Amino acid sequence: MVTASGKRVPLAIEDLRRHLSTQLGLLKRSAEAFDQGLHDEAQRLALGVRILCHDTKRQKSLLSQLGMKQRRFLDTCPPDRPGNLLSFWGLLTMRVTRSGAAYRAPLDDTPTPPRSTAFGPWWDATIFRDQAGERFSRGRLILTMADQDGGAHVDSGLDAAYANLAHNNALNVFFSSDERSETAPVLGNPERYATRQIAHEVLRTMVSDYPVQSEAPETVLRHPGDPGRNARCWCDSGLRFKHCHGAPDKTPPTLP
């Protein structure tokens, strides 16, 4: 709060709690709108997560002001394993239909069991690694979307790696089937669905009675994390990973 003389007056704890309730309410409504097909709401989700979580040298996030960053955060992203030759998109799944494949935020229907993680490792862990080796953490994704891509500001230029992730299939993920004569990039914007999943993690962490949510199942493919060379490949081809997507010199089989 700023007085007429320009001096700042610290907010009372009740005011901070009211702001927290407001921001979580806005995050919920934007998440619901996103799930109804308004995917531009990802920008508002990014802004909400930024307000709640991002600290600078001059400003503390709302959660820091309330001493809530000591909580352990719901973490639905498996680690990016060393030696994985494929791009990594650990917060997402794919939904496959006759028209093709599309990225999805799994919400609580995650391929691997979620964990609870301290804020720092949660905020800084890799959630995307593209084919060029460019990595995105939750923090980098949220701040780029909020500060450059319309959340709080529209910058005159975008971070090049973010632009490639959003618009140029930097993950290099394609889908093919017997019904399609050619391979096609997976549909949807991975950065938006990842932001939706991050917002879900925040809401499940901060709202004690937040309901369990899942995507309507069709055919869901797990993210292409390295399952181990002798394990079955993540694409359900029936082959071992080392003979399928884990073999850099071999074209993986098409999905049925």
Side-chain angles (χ1 to χ4, degrees):
M1 182 183 299
V2 181
T3 64
S5 63
K7 294 182 178 180
R8 292 180 176 270
V9 177
L11 291 178
I13 190 66
E14 292 80 8
D15 293 324
L16 292 173
R17 288 172 177 164
R18 174 176 54 80
H19 279 295
L20 177 63
S21 178
T22 297
Q23 291 300 322
L24 290 174
L26 291 171
L27 205 63
K28 287 181 189 178
R29 290 192 286 277
S30 288
E32 291 167 359
F34 185 99
D35 295 344
Q36 292 168 7
L38 301 176
H39 294 162
D40 288 345
E41 287 292 329
Q43 294 168 322
R44 294 187 182 180
L45 290 171
L47 178 59
V49 174
R50 181 185 184 278
I51 290 170
L52 289 166
C53 296
H54 180 54
D55 291 317
T56 69
K57 291 181 179 180
R58 298 183 60 184
Q59 295 179 325
K60 286 188 175 182
S61 66
L62 186 52
L63 294 183
S64 286
Q65 292 181 68
L66 286 164
M68 290 184 171
K69 275 195 174 178
Q70 285 72 34
R71 294 189 181 189
R72 297 185 69 82
F73 281 64
L74 178 72
D75 187 349
T76 62
C77 183
D80 182 16
R81 298 184 183 279
N84 181 12
L85 301 175
L86 302 169
S87 59
F88 179 74
W89 31 284
L91 279 179
L92 306 180
T93 55
M94 279 196 296
R95 179 184 290 174
V96 180
T97 66
R98 290 184 177 180
S99 60
Y103 293 109
R104 286 292 183 267
L107 306 181
D108 289 305
D109 191 18
T110 55
T112 57
R115 309 178 303 283
S116 62
T117 305
F119 175 81
W122 177 83
W123 189 243
D124 295 331
T126 297
I127 60 168
F128 283 121
R129 178 178 44 77
D130 67 20
Q131 281 295 92
E134 194 77 33
R135 293 177 179 270
F136 279 84
S137 63
R138 290 176 178 87
R140 181 180 179 184
L141 181 70
I142 291 297
L143 295 181
T144 305
M145 185 176 290
D147 295 344
Q148 297 182 19
D149 200 21
H153 179 72
V154 177
D155 212 341
S156 59
L158 278 178
D159 176 274
Y162 175 90
N164 285 331
L165 178 68
H167 305 299
N168 298 325
N169 191 27
L171 297 174
N172 197 35
V173 181
F174 292 85
F175 172 78
S176 64
S177 72
D178 291 340
E179 297 180 2
R180 303 178 66 93
S181 58
E182 298 180 354
T183 60
V186 176
L187 303 174
N189 294 85
E191 82 287 358
R192 292 184 174 186
Y193 285 100
T195 300
R196 173 65 182 95
Q197 187 68 15
I198 293 167
H200 180 72
E201 292 175 328
V202 171
L203 287 167
R204 292 278 276 127
T205 298
M206 294 296 155
V207 182
S208 59
D209 59 349
Y210 193 66
V212 173
Q213 296 178 313
S214 62
E215 277 284 341
E218 290 185 28
T219 304
V220 177
L221 299 183
R222 299 186 177 191
H223 66 86
D226 182 350
R229 285 178 54 76
N230 290 313
R232 285 177 177 264
C233 189
W234 58 268
C235 73
D236 292 332
S237 65
L239 299 177
R240 295 182 186 274
F241 181 76
K242 64 184 179 182
H243 296 311
C244 190
H245 279 81
D249 58 344
K250 180 177 179 181
T251 301
T254 59
L255 293 176

